[in-house]
Amino acid sequence: MKPLVNKIVCIGAGYVGGPTMAVIADHCPDIDVTVLDLNAERIAAWNSEDLPVYEPGLAEVVSRARGRNLRFVGQAEGAAYVAAADAVFISVNTPTKTEGEGAGKASDLRYVESCARFIAAHATGHTIVIEKSTMPVRAADCVKSILASAGPGVTFDILSNPEFLAEGTAIRDLEQPDRVLIGGERPEPIAALAEIYRRWVPAERVLSTGLWSAELSKLVANAFLAQRVSSINSISALCEVTGADIEEVASVIGTDSRIGPKFLRASVGFGGSCFQKDLLSLIYISESYGLTEVSAYWQQVVDLNQWQKHRFADQIAAPIATDAGSLRGRRIAILGFAFKKDTNDVRETPAIDVCRRLLARGATLAVHDYKVTPDSVASEIGTQGVEVAATPEAALAGADGVAVLTEWSAYAKLDWARLAGMLKAGAVIHDGRNIVDAAAIRRAGLNLRSIGKGGQSNT
Ligand code: NAD
Ligand code: UGA
């Protein structure tokens, strides 16, 4: 049977738009998928062998579908595809507003609004417009009011289909999602979109709700995940002063089926483009409805995360700072800059706060990461006092202190017996991910400080 949706356009070729559309195109060779973006450089990269997003498995999926039923085009070329589309996904960035009402908390919907204007200007006949971007609850009202400016005979349905993929596991998450959520107002467009996902997602995992519940569920899912990280990180500090071990505590509480074992890894803090922005959005929405206790509750998740990053940076500084607190003349190796392993994404990475705090005290940093480019490091923390090292060894050479900030698997396999001689005498390795080989470090005569491990008197 011919699918109800034959031609799809996705506006926004970022970390979500690119991989999501590639997986849809891969599973639905009969559906024509066009991804458009106003960033010409990004589009050129999607059309090259050097994709703009690093995700395990992504290159294979793109290479199967690109040139068959998947194409990446610029904004101008995209207009004709929007005109012909049955469904248009909006998958653009929704960052925290930096100016105007709600600055610092509310989501900035200007990119979404500009997509809605573009769709209104070019769509023909009936089009299903799908919010893939993470939106504040009731944002669809704003999209609807812009679409209402389209010419006569042009009609729309709006769906909310938020994305739950995590970076580093995007392809796996898209292939085998816990659930696909479709919120809408009428059953027909919901069914049309559900039909696409059901090609590879079991029917019981394709959920449908009202529009507002779908929009809100996405924010709440991220808030609950971030809250777990802040919860375990708060306990990591308690472990350090009481002699308990956060990994033992996490493993014990995780066996309670009501709590579950996932998302209980203590860390230097959560990062990524979404947790903080979505928490702030939830906080702003709650405030704007006068629910101050609700907003204060979620604000604490953000505050605890900030505190954890600063606490970690201060622990790195403590054993090597002068009495006046200066780190001038001290070289610190930063192992890992991405906000988590298996991604090149540095948006809101905890490394930014840790590095800036150390730089502010005069330290020199030698930063290594397996996928982050020197340009990305420079754009976040500048180049003053910052050296980007090509290998972990180059970062470690002559270091007074070491900070492991990303859980790249290769850092777990570092040969500390060989590396020990490269570090300055007395250098402490601060493991912000509890990933390094602690026994090997101790055997090599080095000092280790792990997150949430009590009884660490060596610093
Ligand atoms: P991104 O910044 O990587 O990509 C967004 C793209 O949209 C950019 O390439 C930008 O040039 C393009 N764009 C902006 N305005 C445009 C316009 N008017 N016309 C054409 N292109 C335009 O963002 P992302 O990480 O893909 O996130 C997109 C949305 O998905 C956000 O709302 C985010 O909260 C949500 N989300 C992200 C993730 C993630 O892991 N990154 C996961 C789930 C949900
Ligand atoms: C997160 C959610 O997991 C996705 O479901 C969601 O779609 C996405 O946000 C989004 O909306 O953008 P992501 O940020 O890519 O995905 O990665 P996570 O695996 O959630 O990690 C977020 C941060 O928390 C990372 O810095 C990670 O290192 C940290 N984290 C995670 C911990 O410190 N401890 C944990 O136990 C888990």
Side-chain angles (χ1 to χ4, degrees), residues 14-16 37 42 75 93-94 114 134 163 167 277 347:
Y15 282 85
V16 170
D37 202 295
R42 224 172 201 189
Q75 184 90 343
N93 34 332
T94 48
S114 113
T134 302
E163 184 48 60
E167 289 179 30
K277 103 170 150 63
R347 292 176 292 178

Side-chain angles (χ1 to χ4, degrees), residues 152-177:
V154 181
T155 54
F156 301 96
D157 270 298
I158 300 196
L159 298 177
S160 166
N161 172 221
E163 184 48 60
F164 295 100
L165 68 80
E167 289 179 30
T169 53
I171 299 302
R172 194 182 70 203
D173 296 341
L174 288 164
E175 294 283 356
Q176 296 161 356

Side-chain angles (χ1 to χ4, degrees), residues 193-342:
L193 183 57
E195 188 189 292
I196 296 175
Y197 285 111
R198 284 203 199 112
R199 306 266 193 114
W200 75 97
V201 179
E204 67 278 11
R205 292 193 179 196
V206 181
L207 313 181
S208 75
T209 65
L211 259 182
W212 314 136
S213 300
E215 288 179 337
L216 186 56
S217 298
K218 170 63 197 178
L219 290 182
V220 174
N222 272 0
F224 269 58
L225 290 169
Q227 179 208 43
R228 271 175 85 96
V229 179
S230 278
S231 295
I232 203 72
N233 281 345
S234 75
I235 303 302
S236 74
L238 200 53
C239 285
E240 288 167 27
V241 292
T242 57
D245 179 324
I246 195 64
E247 290 183 309
E248 291 180 351
V249 173
S251 132
V252 170
I253 65 167
T255 57
D256 185 325
S257 60
R258 293 166 303 175
I259 297 175
K262 294 184 182 165
F263 254 73
L264 288 178
R265 289 190 323 275
S267 68
V268 52
F270 61 73
S273 60
C274 294
F275 275 3
Q276 175 156 311
K277 103 170 150 63
D278 292 347
L279 278 163
L280 292 172
S281 176
L282 194 64
I283 289 163
Y284 179 75
I285 294 164
S286 308
E287 265 169 14
S288 62
Y289 283 99
L291 299 169
T292 48
E293 284 76 7
V294 177
S295 63
Y297 175 79
W298 291 106
Q299 181 64 48
Q300 188 54 24
V301 176
V302 178
D303 293 348
L304 196 290
N305 192 51
Q306 198 63 14
W307 177 75
Q308 180 81 341
K309 291 183 278 188
H310 289 173
R311 192 173 82 83
F312 187 75
D314 294 346
Q315 284 178 348
I316 299 168
I320 51 175
T322 63
D323 289 347
S326 170
L327 292 172
R328 213 152 287 287
R330 299 298 200 180
R331 177 183 164 93
I332 299 165
I334 303 292
L335 297 188
F337 199 83
F339 80 98
K340 61 187 285 196
K341 73 171 178 177
D342 291 336

